[in-house]
Amino acid sequence: MNIQLFSIRARTASMGGIAATWVFLLLLTGSASAQIFKLPPILTGPRPTELMIFPLTHWSTSHDLYTVNADGTGLKALTDTPENECHPAWSPDGKQIAFAHAKGGHIVIAVMNADGGGVRDLMEPDLSQSVERINCTPAWSPDGRQIAFGTNRDGNHEIYVMGADGSDPHNITNNPAADAFPAWSPDGKRIAFNSNRSGNMQVCLCDTDGSNLRWITSGQAAHRLPTWSADGTKLLVTSQVAHEMPVLQVVDVQSLEKTPLDIAESGTWGVWSPDETRIAFLEYEEGSIRLAVIDRAAKTSAQIDVDKHATGGLSESGNGQSEYSWASWAPDGKKFVFAFGRGPSRNTSALDPPS
């Protein structure tokens, strides 16, 4: 693994189309071309329609799941299929990983054993619906009894909660705005998620039944992709002003004070390790997003390079551009799981964020 200095620099201002995807990226089944679908107009005020797009697999025909040690060693593939497996989430007891995958062209939530065996679907695809209706981004409750997830099965992007066995899926947001990316609080009482109810993408909290909505971020900058600190007092969010590189911020859930994270000049979807000594996040490098791990005490970073591991130390371009997802840490903090795939090569100079 490539060990670098603590300061991770953005290699280029061109983000290869991926920057624009952090408005959110479309989850697509085995098609190699991206499609973007507009939501119905937001009904809570005269604001422009926003695109709500789920992350990852928007270019590639296939992504697989991998685990890697916290120091970047010990890379291991959990899946190797022609279908997409993405959005992994480690269970609180460390025994299972929930994820989204394609089944019959439809995206559903499934679980597997932590070693990649014993895959079990938690839902069956609704073949009466378009394959554009997807279920993804699972998030476990701390007691492991429930899973929150994002879905547009009702024609609008909502947060659902179901039993860990797939039972009783129910909508907890029920709003004409776009709600997505749930993150269950460590005390099990609240769910953080993204919503554009206020006019642009911000982070809010609600009780697990959807009640007592409370805004955590606001302002002209968009804030999204929340993940919790272990003590439940802070959220790590991605903040982005239009046409600028995204940065990671820590938000105190009581005072709402925002503090820039001092580990990188740009990045997105940061996830604390359980002891908060490390942060895995997506950094921008040479027009693409790469997965990196910061050791905050040692002030070093390890970049995860699936290609280099597979070729014995030589990074190859292969047939397309490497694509990494965010991480989900094992409860013991020794390793994390992520998704990796390859999309078609593209001219990054023509794919800067649109004005």
Side-chain angles (χ1 to χ4, degrees):
M1 293 300 127
N2 179 26
I3 304 300
Q4 306 173 15
L5 294 177
F6 186 55
S7 175
I8 295 181
R9 295 184 176 275
R11 276 32 176 210
T12 175
S14 171
M15 293 181 284
I18 298 182
T21 66
W22 288 107
V23 176
F24 292 116
L25 304 178
L26 174 66
L27 176 61
L28 193 64
T29 65
S31 168
S33 62
Q35 301 179 41
I36 297 179
F37 304 96
K38 288 188 175 181
L39 285 177
I42 303 303
L43 302 181
T44 55
R47 295 181 292 276
T49 300
E50 293 200 32
L51 296 180
M52 180 60 214
I53 311 171
F54 281 118
L56 199 58
T57 68
H58 63 301
W59 297 104
S60 242
T61 57
S62 177
H63 285 74
D64 287 300
L65 301 183
Y66 293 78
T67 56
V68 68
N69 295 333
D71 62 0
T73 64
L75 185 71
K76 176 187 176 183
L78 297 184
T79 65
D80 182 13
T81 76
E83 298 265 13
N84 281 314
E85 292 93 25
C86 51
H87 311 146
W90 222 304
S91 66
D93 63 6
K95 297 179 179 180
Q96 300 180 90
I97 294 172
F99 63 102
H101 77 133
K103 183 176 184 180
H106 295 255
I107 303 298
V108 298
I109 304 295
V111 295
M112 65 168 70
N113 299 336
D115 62 2
V119 175
R120 307 174 300 283
D121 292 323
L122 298 184
M123 57 186 66
E124 289 297 320
D126 185 347
L127 300 182
S128 68
Q129 290 193 338
S130 165
V131 293
E132 298 164 15
R133 299 288 187 257
I134 61 178
N135 307 276
C136 63
T137 60
W140 294 85
S141 62
D143 62 8
R145 295 181 179 179
Q146 294 178 290
I147 294 174
F149 62 99
T151 179
N152 63 349
R153 62 173 62 189
D154 299 326
N156 185 51
H157 296 274
E158 305 281 4
I159 305 299
Y160 270 60
V161 171
M162 65 180 172
D165 60 357
S167 61
D168 187 31
H170 55 280
N171 187 343
I172 68 166
T173 47
N174 290 293
N175 192 277
D179 302 314
F181 300 105
W184 217 300
S185 66
D187 64 7
K189 297 179 179 179
R190 297 164 294 174
I191 293 175
F193 63 97
N194 277 143
S195 180
N196 61 3
R197 303 181 195 191
S198 66
N200 66 344
M201 275 295 165
Q202 300 295 344
V203 175
C204 52
L205 296 181
C206 68
D207 293 348
T208 57
D209 62 0
S211 62
N212 295 321
L213 185 75
R214 178 181 173 226
W215 292 99
I216 298 301
T217 64
S218 61
Q220 293 184 344
H223 298 87
R224 40 192 181 265
L225 314 177
T227 63
W228 288 90
S229 63
D231 62 7
T233 64
K234 302 179 292 292
L235 286 167
L236 192 55
V237 304
T238 300
S239 176
Q240 186 172 19
V241 177
H243 322 308
E244 295 184 9
M245 298 287 282
V247 295
L248 294 171
Q249 290 184 335
V250 178
V251 183
D252 186 292
V253 297
Q254 292 301 319
S255 69
L256 306 187
E257 180 180 358
K258 303 185 189 77
T259 305
L261 198 65
D262 60 355
I263 63 168
E265 293 184 5
S266 65
T268 188
W269 205 298
V271 185
W272 275 296
S273 62
D275 62 3
E276 298 185 27
T277 61
R278 292 181 171 92
I279 292 177
F281 71 106
L282 300 179
E283 64 163 330
Y284 295 111
E285 178 177 328
E286 298 175 355
S288 65
I289 290 181
R290 311 290 288 188
L291 182 60
V293 185
I294 288 288
D295 185 318
R296 306 188 75 191
K299 296 187 178 181
T300 58
S301 69
Q303 188 182 74
I304 308 306
D305 193 330
V306 174
D307 287 335
K308 188 175 291 186
H309 179 88
T311 57
L314 298 176
S315 188
E316 296 183 349
S317 59
N319 296 319
Q321 185 164 331
S322 300
E323 295 173 352
Y324 293 80
S325 81
W326 62 90
S328 176
W329 289 89
D332 62 9
K334 294 181 178 179
K335 61 178 63 177
F336 56 86
V337 62
F338 66 97
F340 169 82
R342 187 175 292 287
S345 298
R346 46 197 182 271
N347 178 7
T348 60
S349 64
L351 291 170
D352 288 333
S355 60

